[in-house]
Amino acid sequence: AAGVIQSPRHLIKEKRETATLKCYPIPRHDTVYWYQQGPGQDPQFLISFYEKMQSDKGSIPDRFSAQQFSDYHSELNMSSLELGDSALYFCASSFSRNTEAFFGQGTRLTVV
Amino acid sequence: DAKTTQPPSMDCAEGRAANLPCNHSTISGNEYVYWYRQIHSQGPQYIIHGLKNNETNEMASLIITEDRKSSTLILPHATLRDTAVYYCIVTKDYKLSFGAGTTVTVRA
């Protein structure tokens, strides 16, 4: 069965650079969520989209932005990267809200 | 979302049932109980969820007390591949808030 696809799987950036993470949800899923997981920490909710509209916002820094496109894929844009942004970034998708979410394998971002 | 409390860790023998408790005494009537697990830096994996009734699927069973203030996830026959961090999440919407879960170690 098709799963959530994230790209790239690994990314190394320097401080103050920008990064774009992509997420391709399971076909027919209309809701996408982004999570950040720092080393030794639990996943933290960043932002979510339902039917291409932002539906909820968590602890997402102002330097980050995201959107969901007409084909339901989503991109997380991160600017002015800091060392503390080094983390695993997970995307999840679900069919409408209030249903189980399926997670991708994540993008490991390292800021040096 | 209601706060949940889980034991930080537990061990389980391979082939035996693993019973993972979760307290959610402030749960409200329209909040669901979800269980996810994360195997070493992989994406969290959905296990099961329920509202009031007990639920069972191919992975696990979920037992919710009548007052809904606590629940138990049961892995009927634990294998070494079930070693993971297990998260109990209570929510009425689509946003999952991961708290401190239970690190389950299945031993041969």
Side-chain angles (χ1 to χ4, degrees):
Chain A
V4 177
I5 305 297
Q6 292 188 244
S7 68
R9 292 294 308 278
H10 302 272
L11 189 59
I12 299 175
K13 290 286 186 178
E14 295 187 354
K15 283 192 305 182
R16 294 179 289 277
E17 284 193 317
T18 61
T20 297
L21 279 53
K22 297 184 178 182
C23 170
Y24 297 87
I26 293 172
R28 291 183 294 283
H29 280 193
D30 52 16
T31 306
V32 168
Y33 319 78
W34 285 97
Y35 287 81
Q36 177 192 58
Q37 186 172 26
Q41 298 180 358
D42 302 303
Q44 297 298 309
F45 173 75
L46 291 179
I47 196 167
S48 63
F49 294 87
Y50 169 64
E51 280 292 344
K52 293 157 279 184
M53 299 287 289
Q54 180 183 307
S55 55
D56 204 353
K57 203 169 183 178
S59 51
I60 184 170
D62 292 340
R63 299 176 290 108
F64 294 6
S65 65
Q67 58 182 323
Q68 185 179 30
F69 294 86
S70 58
D71 63 352
Y72 294 101
H73 94 272
S74 179
E75 295 183 3
L76 178 66
N77 299 294
M78 311 159 70
S79 63
S80 303
L81 286 170
E82 303 173 356
L83 296 179
D85 297 328
S86 295
L88 270 169
Y89 291 83
F90 291 107
C91 170
S93 74
S94 67
F95 176 65
S96 81
R97 295 170 285 187
N98 292 327
T99 63
E100 59 269 29
F102 295 87
F103 284 76
Q105 288 307 298
T107 293
R108 182 176 295 278
L109 172 67
T110 302
V111 181
V112 297
Chain B
D1 295 341
K3 177 179 168 56
T4 61
T5 303
Q6 300 177 245
S9 64
M10 63 183 298
D11 285 358
C12 177
E14 188 179 23
R16 303 294 294 271
N19 297 317
L20 282 63
C22 179
N23 286 321
H24 31 80
S25 59
T26 60
I27 191 170
S28 59
N30 60 349
E31 288 184 311
Y32 286 78
V33 179
Y34 282 83
W35 283 85
Y36 281 77
R37 73 180 183 183
Q38 186 174 29
I39 299 172
H40 188 58
S41 296
Q42 295 181 19
Q45 179 187 22
Y46 166 80
I47 301 174
I48 199 167
H49 76 284
L51 182 62
K52 294 181 182 178
N53 300 323
N54 298 336
E55 302 288 341
T56 295
N57 62 21
E58 65 278 4
M59 288 183 68
S61 295
L62 174 60
I63 308 298
I64 303 174
T65 58
E66 193 169 342
D67 63 7
R68 302 185 70 237
K69 293 184 177 182
S70 65
S71 61
T72 300
L73 178 74
I74 301 173
L75 306 178
H77 305 287
T79 70
L80 298 180
R81 287 175 292 182
D82 291 322
T83 293
V85 179
Y86 287 75
Y87 295 97
C88 169
I89 301 168
V90 172
T91 183
K92 61 179 182 296
D93 56 29
Y94 40 88
K95 184 180 71 177
L96 301 172
S97 297
F98 290 85
T102 297
T103 299
V104 174
T105 303
V106 181
R107 302 191 185 279

